[in-house]
Amino acid sequence: MDPVIIVGAGPVGLTLALALARQEVPSVVLDEGPGQDEPRLARTVVLREDTAALMERLTGISLDEAGLRWTGWRAMRRRQVTREVTFGDGEPAPLHIAQHVLTGALRAALAGERLVELAVDSRLDTIEQEPSAVTARTRGPQGTWWRGSHLIGCDGPRSTVRKLLDIRFPGRTAVERHAVAALRADLPWDGEALLHRSPPWRMTGPSAGEVTARPLPDGVWRLDWLLPPGKDLVTPELLLTRVRETLTGWSEGPTPEYELLDTGVHTVHHRLARRWRVGRVLLAGDAAHLLGTLGTQGVDEGLRDADNLAWKLALAWHHGPHETLLDSYQTERRAVVAARLRAADQVLPLLRGGGGIRSYVPGTARGHDVLLSEGHLGRGQLGTPGGYAGSPLAPRLLEAEVPVGTPAGAPVEDVRVTAEDGSFVRLRDRLGRGALLVVLIAPGTGVWERRHWVSAGIMPRLAAAVTALPSPAELLVAESYPGAAAHTVLLVRPDGHLVTALNGVRPADLYAAAEAAVGGKASEEATAGSAAQ
């Protein structure tokens, strides 16, 4: 069967290729460039805990050395600390990593992958679709025709794929602008990220009174200064002055020594493609959406696109057309990104408007700092990873469904589980293999060898029910799960989102939920019923 064609070799395209390969699906990655990325320390990515785990799963390496997990977060206004967060065992820390380092790790993992072909210097020119395949023509030294089962546009904000499909990309231009500098310096916060609003020193040139400092390995920091609306030119001289003023203000003394490594201007746009799927062609990452104000991270959302799409493409590739399943990619992911864009657009006037009577209300500024911090920390209305509660893949009402600490459609917690071979692993380690996960909550199993309980109690009946499911599934056992009673059975999608939680072994409900989760009959009936209403 034809491979999947992936247009674009950024983090999203490379992640999708690796995720497909892990599920035995071949792909061709069309890379417009020479096959390597320019080192830019002023271009970095903040990954939430689950997307960082996804990257480590796919690359096979720990990113703790390539990037830096923050030890804490500090928000300041003028000279006062308004919020402090310390990351520890119970508080997952965001991972801050240079984008070229992340793509380098993905490329290294692809180098030994037999199912992925990387075509460099290949610029997309034409797309043609037919009922059973899609073909793409590329220009350049490696220009040729490529035939694939599907084509995924991961080719960034100026996506050629999106333009060839004539998909509108409405939104707002230059919602925010930031002057950016990467430098090596000894700052007062060891491993902590900092948001400083209205700093007490006066800045030269245009200023909106906000600077963010985010640490990287080897004593490197990325500093972002929010610029006021407009098109004021940020000259090298102005940026150097801003660096010296900021470092001097933070040290409260002479300007500390520093080494300037990279600079840039980061302009944030808010856009959302009207459609993410046209036949056998789909969009992902910046080709489908642009966001990034108030600390939110577009690359993090793009990686979630790839994770959502990979297992659905794999099922379609291995088992034939799954239209409901592929349509659900747009429905789920577009709704999540649209909600995040709406939240940012609603909060933006409050945080950036300034002035007015609101600025004199006690506690208003502190509340604004909390809202802004949430975007940076991946929390609250601005930052929490979206769920798929309204998904067309959600099962209809199940008699045995019970609530647990994770709402249906949301990402599951990463608990320790016992695998079928008796080994103890993390739940996230079993994701991304194309199989549904069935997790039995059984207190006490962690202290007994598997052979003592695998054939006892409800286990044989559950194992038989899992074997009979309409899609491949893996049975796991956990000592506990937040909010779940003993003998609760969780059904988890390959991308780590909870399908449902059932009160005990209920084969009929488990089958119906699994069938809906993979776009089967139960899902189609639910979709038809929703449309009829």
Side-chain angles (χ1 to χ4, degrees):
M1 190 171 172
D2 298 318
V4 173
I5 301 172
I6 299 171
V7 182
V12 177
L14 298 174
T15 294
L16 181 58
L18 275 173
L20 288 173
R22 297 295 184 267
Q23 297 169 72
E24 296 297 317
V25 177
S27 64
V28 174
V29 181
L30 304 182
D31 186 354
E32 184 178 317
Q36 59 184 7
D37 299 283
E38 178 187 4
R40 290 292 310 275
L41 288 173
R43 190 177 187 188
T44 63
V45 177
V46 178
L47 301 180
R48 313 309 183 207
E49 181 194 21
D50 54 344
T51 45
L54 170 65
M55 294 295 95
E56 293 184 337
R57 234 175 19 247
L58 293 176
T59 61
I61 64 172
S62 171
L63 296 181
D64 286 355
E65 295 182 4
L68 190 142
R69 294 186 189 271
W70 298 341
T71 60
W73 168 265
R74 181 185 301 252
M76 297 180 65
R77 176 174 286 274
R78 299 182 179 89
R79 297 184 184 277
Q80 181 182 8
V81 176
T82 59
R83 191 178 190 195
E84 285 187 277
V85 176
T86 300
F87 299 115
D89 294 337
E91 191 72 41
L95 175 75
H96 189 209
I97 185 171
Q99 183 165 316
H100 73 272
V101 174
L102 178 62
T103 54
L106 291 166
R107 287 181 185 274
L110 282 174
E113 184 51 67
R114 61 181 177 82
L115 291 175
V116 181
E117 179 180 355
L118 187 62
V120 300
D121 298 318
S122 296
R123 182 182 179 88
L124 181 68
D125 186 53
T126 304
I127 298 174
E128 295 182 5
Q129 294 200 60
E130 54 189 85
S132 60
V134 58
T135 55
R137 187 179 71 182
T138 55
R139 291 182 290 169
Q142 308 297 323
T144 186
W145 283 94
W146 301 88
R147 179 183 172 90
S149 64
H150 295 83
L151 184 145
I152 318 300
C154 305
D155 49 343
R158 297 181 177 85
S159 171
T160 300
V161 175
R162 189 184 63 242
K163 293 173 182 176
L164 290 174
L165 296 178
D166 196 26
I167 295 176
R168 292 185 59 201
F169 199 38
R172 300 170 58 196
T173 299
V175 182
E176 286 185 351
R177 286 198 315 146
H178 298 261
V180 183
L183 51 88
R184 183 175 283 109
D186 185 14
L187 297 186
W189 312 283
D190 185 19
E192 286 188 1
L194 170 74
L195 169 67
H196 199 164
R197 306 189 75 196
S198 303
W201 60 89
R202 182 174 180 178
M203 292 187 183
T204 303
S207 173
E210 182 177 303
V211 57
T212 306
R214 288 172 282 196
L216 285 163
D218 302 323
V220 176
W221 294 78
R222 169 174 166 167
L223 273 55
D224 291 61
W225 293 269
L226 178 66
L227 298 172
K231 298 182 179 179
D232 299 281
L233 183 63
V234 180
T235 63
E237 294 77 12
L238 178 62
L239 189 52
L240 282 172
T241 301
R242 186 68 57 85
V243 168
R244 288 193 290 268
E245 289 173 342
T246 301
L247 296 183
T248 301
W250 282 338
S251 66
E252 298 182 353
T255 303
E257 293 185 0
Y258 69 92
E259 179 185 1
L260 188 62
L261 304 172
D262 193 16
T263 62
V265 175
H266 175 52
T267 303
V268 177
H269 310 289
H270 276 182
R271 296 190 179 277
L272 186 64
R274 292 288 191 193
R275 292 181 294 167
W276 291 24
R277 183 190 180 197
V278 178
R280 291 180 172 270
V281 181
L282 302 97
L283 301 177
D286 286 352
H289 52 78
L290 293 175
L291 71 164
T293 60
L294 309 178
T296 57
Q297 288 285 324
V299 172
D300 190 83
E301 289 291 355
L303 298 178
R304 296 180 193 278
D305 293 346
D307 197 26
N308 182 290
L309 182 56
W311 70 274
K312 298 173 180 179
L313 277 174
L315 273 176
W317 195 89
H318 286 295
H319 302 291
H322 275 62
E323 296 306 308
T324 302
L325 190 63
L326 291 181
D327 283 343
S328 74
Y329 162 68
Q330 170 178 304
T331 305
E332 292 177 347
R333 291 300 306 150
R334 193 177 187 278
V336 166
V337 176
R340 182 151 294 174
L341 285 171
R342 283 194 300 271
D345 286 342
Q346 290 168 0
V347 171
L348 197 64
L350 295 175
L351 296 180
R352 302 299 190 221
I357 192 169
R358 289 178 181 268
S359 62
Y360 297 98
V361 177
T364 299
R366 185 180 295 272
H368 290 178
D369 291 343
V370 170
L371 278 173
L372 190 51
S373 293
E374 285 179 345
H376 285 276
L377 297 176
R379 302 173 177 176
Q381 61 178 320
L382 291 177
T384 301
Y388 307 137
S391 168
L393 304 182
R396 304 181 72 175
L397 183 63
L398 304 170
E399 291 185 3
E401 190 168 32
V402 293
V404 295
T406 300
V412 293
E413 298 288 335
D414 187 27
V415 298
R416 191 181 81 155
V417 296
T418 305
E420 293 183 2
D421 62 1
S423 62
F424 294 111
V425 296
R426 305 301 300 182
L427 180 56
R428 285 194 183 131
D429 292 339
R430 314 309 286 185
L431 299 176
R433 302 181 178 205
L436 298 170
L437 302 181
V438 178
V439 185
L440 171 67
I441 310 306
T445 50
V447 299
W448 296 95
E449 291 187 23
R450 179 178 180 273
R451 60 189 176 88
H452 292 306
W453 51 259
V454 71
S455 60
I458 63 175
M459 277 297 295
R461 187 167 176 235
L462 180 57
V466 171
T467 302
L469 293 181
S471 181
E474 181 181 8
L475 177 57
L476 303 167
V477 179
E479 279 260 3
S480 63
Y481 188 87
H487 296 171
T488 299
V489 176
L490 311 179
L491 181 63
V492 182
R493 300 183 351 170
D495 59 355
H497 287 254
L498 181 67
V499 178
T500 189
L502 302 175
N503 179 21
V505 181
R506 306 295 181 97
D509 279 355
L510 186 61
Y511 188 97
E515 187 178 38
V518 296
K521 181 180 178 181
S523 175
E524 292 174 356
E525 289 177 352
T527 303
S530 176
Q533 294 174 3

